[in-house]
Amino acid sequence: MPRLPGSGVRPRALALLLTLVPGAAAAQGASETIALDEISVAGAGSPGQTSLAPAFGVAAPPGSAPGVIERPVGEIVTAIDRRDTIANRPATTIGQVLVNSPGVTVRQGNGPRDVVVSIRGNNARSTGVTKNMVVLEDGFPLTQPDGASRFDLTDPRAYSRIDVFRGPQSPLFGNYATGGALAFRTRTGREIDGYEVGIDAGSFGYLNHYFTVGGASGPYEVSLFASDFRLDGFQDHAGADTQTVNLLASYTPGPDNRFTLKVINNTLDVDLPARSSLAQYRINPYQRGCAAAATAAAGCTTFNLFRNGAFGATVPVTASEGAFGRNDRRTIVAGRWEHDIDANTTWRMQVGFDERNFDQPFYTTSSRGSYPSYNVLTDLTHRGEVLGLPATGYVALGYNAIDSHIALYNRAPYGGPRLGALTSNQEAVQSNLGGRARAEVALSDRWTGVVGVSAENTWLKGRTFTYAYSASGVTTALADIDRSFLNVAPELALVYRPDEAWAFRGRVATGYATPAASTLFVTPAGVPGNNTDLRTQTNLGVDLGVDWSPLPDLRLSLTGFYEFFRNEFVTQSPGAGLLSYTFNAPASEHRGIEAGAEWAFSPGWRATAAYGLNDQFYTRYVEQLSAGSLTARFDRAGRLIPGVPAHQLLARIGYDQPSGPFKGVGAFVEAVYQDGFFLDNANLLKAPGYTILNANIHYDTDLVGWYAKRLSLYVEVRNLLDTTYIASAQPLANSISAVTGLQNGAGVLATTTGSIFAGAPRSVVGGMKLAF
């Protein structure tokens, strides 16, 4: 095994972790899990929620068939519900909720509610769009057919539970599920049973009004969530204004048929601050005093824009002078029909339309475009016997496509978000057609086996015109793509349950992710052009784990994983103002440990922990760097993959008064720790780690004799110690000297801008909610 410089993951650390297993694992309470699931961080759910959650978005009679992702045997799944994560705290982004799961890394995206999520470090190096996972809401896909997911539209207040699937998941979810999957569940009408109004307000101009209404009547069930989110921001030029509407409705005309409608609409208007270099971050982490380049404070980041918007002389501008921002809209409309063919067989058919329109004038370019997409899925679930053994079988056939149109312009300085000359015009169509099959077989009272497979073909066809400007005129270049990829992903899992307290599980699974059209048209120089040789990313993962519940109120879990990647996608920035580009690393390995615990050790008291260890490195990758007339090659085997922290930990302890005159009063404190990580392939420059402390006080009570039914009050101090930390860091490309051909050192990387967003300083957010 190659030595991993600076890893911090050594046998001593592994041995220490193993000695602490009883205090570092988690499982869902008995009411939320069946014997063979790992549900590692969860609570009792919201008031009025039944102990056995219904299938996704279906107002179905008891005993109706759950979806295949509802209770999958043998998967490594963490369920995060409302307790301590949403219901009694002002969670401003979905990232503050997802860190409750082992193995999840969250980065700040391009906007205050936009976060980039990774599972097991897969995608941790990204700072723009979430990739390498599939995201669903109420069973409908939020990941577009090019593999991109964004979380601007996910207001935490809308959800009752989030399931985090860890490890390769293509046999269950198809393309792009190399890291895992997220399954969001909105609150159903029965859970809400009335209406709620709430408001959160706090530091840096944060204000969120939200409204929820829901109920069930006869065959109908409806829930509607709406919010209005505003923020001034803790950095210069970081305001935000976003509105979200989320509808879930279902109709059950009889015991054998169920219809579900899903509608989401999100509008977003965001001012974006500049990403700084590590050196600038150390001087001016929050980019304050940066209104104008001529009077900018020390450490302010500026970007050079062509004075005429096309070529020649440039002028430096700050984020405010350049009016950097995003103005996006996302609309999703989807429906599903479920039909019980007989008591043991259910057929589903669902269709959806998803369009993302964007206008993003930030940094040295401005992209405008539209990503309309649609998806169709039909599946069949049957419960019966195989060779006399109880079994559940699932088969599915799906098709989805996206028609992308992007125009990229130079930015012109001053006068608002002015556009310069057109630099590229891209049109591409991507479609995916595939099938999946899965069988869960009860081999005995104690053993369950799982076998699954996915096969999918992807077609990519498109072209991009690029334009270069000079005093002599315009030069045009054309890059075409016409490629197809066929991928197959099998899975095997085995679960052993000797008694109610123990469950042992093993899993071998594979995943695949095909290139998206947008990555094929950005060169390593960070400009539009031909990068069409990218290959499919694949991985083979092995998981071994154990769940232990020695007491009704103690849930422990430990999982070890080892994954082998081929042609792993690595995205990095070649420098300030340039587009990030993607390349294939021929071979790499990811290994680690995930653990968690939930312990209600005394009446009213609850402790929760979620820990992840990641050790990821290249095993075969030679990087070629050029400068001027010189070219050099560097063997990166054994180097750690940028962007991936070795250690992550969430630890929380809280108390809720269970009875007496102060019933409903509660508080908790939590610590969120993340280790440092390298910013470059040579492992020369490292972003420092951090520990953030949060404290919360809340009160939740029934109102007797009032028009309202329930009152919730809460206030939270985030980053209690006012720690300065890095919330997002774009990995940087290494370079060589044009004079000597030697690799430039950490000092050059540290002054390369376009990488870092600082995390929020100490902030106080409070709120109230009334249920009627």
Side-chain angles (χ1 to χ4, degrees):
M1 183 64 61
R3 179 174 176 81
L4 310 179
S7 164
V9 184
R10 293 291 174 261
R12 285 182 299 173
L14 297 177
L16 176 63
L17 176 63
L18 293 175
T19 63
L20 298 176
V21 165
Q28 164 94 321
S31 64
E32 280 290 316
T33 167
I34 61 175
L36 303 178
D37 285 295
E38 179 206 356
I39 308 290
S40 46
V41 181
S46 57
Q49 182 176 353
T50 59
S51 60
L52 182 60
F56 278 100
V58 178
S64 61
V68 67
I69 65 173
E70 181 70 10
R71 294 285 187 264
V73 173
E75 303 296 329
I76 298 90
V77 185
T78 300
I80 307 170
D81 78 346
R82 294 178 66 82
R83 184 185 180 98
D84 287 343
T85 58
I86 299 174
N88 55 11
R89 72 184 305 179
T92 56
T93 74
I94 204 64
Q96 295 167 4
V97 177
L98 292 174
V99 293
N100 286 267
S101 170
V104 172
T105 302
V106 177
R107 298 272 186 259
Q108 178 62 53
N110 292 319
R113 210 166 73 176
D114 181 38
V115 294
V116 180
V117 180
S118 72
I119 301 175
R120 293 184 174 176
N122 199 321
N123 194 59
R125 61 197 63 83
S126 175
T127 56
V129 176
T130 295
K131 294 274 193 174
N132 300 333
M133 72 173 66
V134 169
V135 182
L136 305 172
E137 183 165 314
D138 297 320
F140 298 100
L142 297 188
T143 299
Q144 289 197 296
D146 64 345
S149 303
R150 299 205 80 129
F151 294 98
D152 300 296
L153 74 170
T154 50
D155 190 315
R157 292 288 176 205
Y159 303 111
S160 65
R161 198 178 95 194
I162 307 167
D163 289 345
V164 181
F165 291 73
R166 309 199 300 272
Q169 295 291 339
S170 289
L172 195 57
F173 297 101
N175 201 2
Y176 299 111
T178 51
L182 297 176
F184 290 85
R185 178 202 297 278
T186 55
R187 301 171 68 194
T188 65
R190 294 181 188 180
E191 292 178 67
I192 301 164
D193 191 26
Y195 66 94
E196 301 171 355
V197 293
I199 182 172
D200 295 344
S203 303
F204 312 115
Y206 171 68
L207 182 64
N208 188 15
H209 298 87
Y210 57 94
F211 173 84
T212 307
V213 60
S217 178
Y220 300 97
E221 182 170 7
V222 177
S223 65
L224 175 67
F225 172 84
S227 69
D228 180 22
F229 175 103
R230 310 286 175 117
L231 183 70
D232 294 335
F234 57 88
Q235 304 182 75
D236 279 1
H237 195 71
D241 182 353
T242 182
Q243 290 75 42
T244 303
V245 176
N246 196 322
L247 170 71
L248 177 67
S250 59
Y251 170 56
T252 308
D256 298 333
N257 292 283
R258 297 170 291 278
F259 298 89
T260 304
L261 173 66
K262 182 71 181 179
V263 179
I264 307 174
N265 190 75
N266 173 255
T267 58
L268 172 72
D269 189 2
V270 168
D271 295 329
L272 285 184
R275 288 185 179 271
S276 65
S277 67
L278 185 59
Q280 290 167 328
Y281 161 80
R282 289 167 174 161
I283 297 170
N284 190 352
Y286 304 120
Q287 292 290 290
R288 292 172 180 166
C290 301
T295 58
C300 286
T301 301
T302 60
F303 294 84
N304 293 320
L305 304 185
F306 291 118
R307 186 181 297 275
N308 64 5
F311 65 94
T314 62
V315 293
V317 299
T318 64
S320 296
E321 288 177 310
F324 299 161
R326 292 175 55 207
N327 192 333
D328 298 359
R329 178 181 59 80
R330 181 89 178 267
T331 302
I332 298 172
V333 180
R336 179 169 55 238
W337 171 39
E338 304 180 50
H339 174 65
D340 293 334
I341 298 174
D342 56 40
N344 297 313
T345 308
T346 299
W347 174 48
R348 297 177 179 87
M349 180 73 183
Q350 71 179 40
V351 296
F353 175 77
D354 180 352
E355 183 171 21
R356 181 161 62 94
N357 284 277
F358 53 91
D359 180 4
Q360 300 177 345
F362 61 89
Y363 309 147
T364 60
T365 59
S366 176
S367 60
R368 291 185 171 184
S370 176
Y371 278 8
S373 65
Y374 58 91
N375 61 80
V376 181
L377 177 70
T378 182
D379 64 57
L380 194 70
T381 304
H382 178 71
R383 296 156 299 282
E385 292 186 350
V386 174
L387 301 177
L389 300 174
T392 298
Y394 170 79
V395 292
L397 180 66
Y399 176 79
N400 55 66
I402 183 169
D403 186 5
S404 59
H405 302 264
I406 309 173
L408 191 69
Y409 297 85
N410 283 328
R411 286 297 319 279
Y414 313 125
R418 293 175 55 221
L419 299 183
L422 177 68
T423 60
S424 72
N425 198 351
Q426 174 189 314
E427 295 182 356
V429 175
Q430 177 174 341
S431 55
N432 308 285
L433 173 64
R436 302 188 286 274
R438 193 172 191 271
E440 302 173 0
V441 183
L443 305 174
S444 70
D445 291 340
R446 299 182 178 181
W447 291 89
T448 301
V450 179
V451 59
V453 66
S454 170
E456 190 166 1
N457 204 96
T458 296
W459 294 269
L460 269 169
K461 189 170 185 177
R463 61 174 50 187
T464 183
F465 288 93
T466 59
Y467 307 93
Y469 300 87
S470 66
S472 59
V474 182
T475 302
T476 304
L478 171 65
D480 280 305
I481 55 170
D482 188 357
R483 302 187 62 188
S484 65
F485 307 87
L486 176 62
N487 297 288
V488 178
E491 173 189 16
L492 291 172
L494 193 62
V495 181
Y496 173 58
R497 183 90 184 190
D499 54 42
E500 289 299 318
W502 290 92
F504 300 88
R505 45 190 162 72
R507 179 173 179 264
V508 179
T510 51
Y512 54 86
T514 58
S518 57
T519 63
L520 296 173
F521 292 128
V522 179
T523 73
V527 296
N530 192 325
N531 191 33
T532 57
D533 291 332
L534 287 179
R535 301 178 180 179
T536 297
Q537 170 182 282
T538 61
N539 62 327
L540 167 66
V542 179
D543 293 294
L544 294 174
V546 58
D547 303 315
W548 184 38
S549 303
L551 300 171
D553 295 321
L554 177 61
R555 309 293 177 192
L556 309 172
S557 175
L558 178 68
T559 300
F561 66 90
Y562 211 125
E563 298 178 5
F564 302 88
F565 276 76
R566 293 294 179 267
N567 298 313
E568 181 173 7
F569 293 143
V570 179
T571 300
Q572 60 191 26
S573 170
L578 297 173
L579 301 173
S580 295
Y581 70 95
T582 301
F583 63 90
N584 289 120
S588 54
E589 295 180 9
H590 301 189
R591 59 188 181 183
I593 294 175
E594 299 162 338
E598 186 173 0
W599 186 19
F601 54 89
S602 183
W605 288 93
R606 182 181 296 271
T608 300
Y611 172 79
L613 181 152
N614 261 296
D615 200 12
Q616 302 188 7
F617 51 94
Y618 300 117
T619 56
R620 184 163 49 89
Y621 170 43
V622 176
E623 185 173 20
Q624 179 172 302
L625 302 175
S626 299
S629 61
L630 301 178
T631 297
R633 294 167 63 86
F634 299 89
D635 188 356
R636 304 304 191 195
R639 301 293 179 178
L640 297 182
I641 296 176
V644 183
H647 304 275
Q648 295 182 107
L649 173 69
L650 176 136
R652 180 191 302 117
I653 185 169
Y655 177 77
D656 287 275
Q657 178 64 30
S659 60
F662 295 102
K663 180 181 178 181
V665 175
F668 65 80
V669 292
E670 70 178 13
V672 179
Y673 166 74
Q674 185 178 112
D675 199 7
F677 53 88
F678 285 109
L679 292 174
D680 65 302
N681 289 325
N683 294 174
L684 300 177
L685 188 67
K686 196 171 189 179
Y690 62 85
T691 301
I692 301 299
L693 297 179
N694 305 316
N696 174 288
I697 300 175
H698 52 269
Y699 177 58
D700 191 70
T701 184
D702 292 324
L703 299 176
V704 180
W706 292 66
Y707 178 64
K709 296 186 297 184
R710 195 169 187 85
L711 170 67
S712 299
L713 302 171
Y714 40 82
V715 62
E716 184 163 319
V717 182
R718 302 193 63 83
N719 194 1
L720 185 65
L721 302 182
D722 201 20
T723 300
T724 302
Y725 68 101
I726 292 175
S728 175
Q730 174 73 35
L732 300 170
N734 292 105
S735 61
I736 62 173
S737 168
V739 177
T740 65
L742 299 177
Q743 183 170 258
N744 290 319
V748 172
L749 290 170
T751 58
T752 302
T753 59
S755 177
I756 291 173
F757 278 154
R762 181 191 298 119
S763 59
V764 180
V765 181
M768 65 170 292
K769 180 178 66 178
L770 278 171
F772 298 87

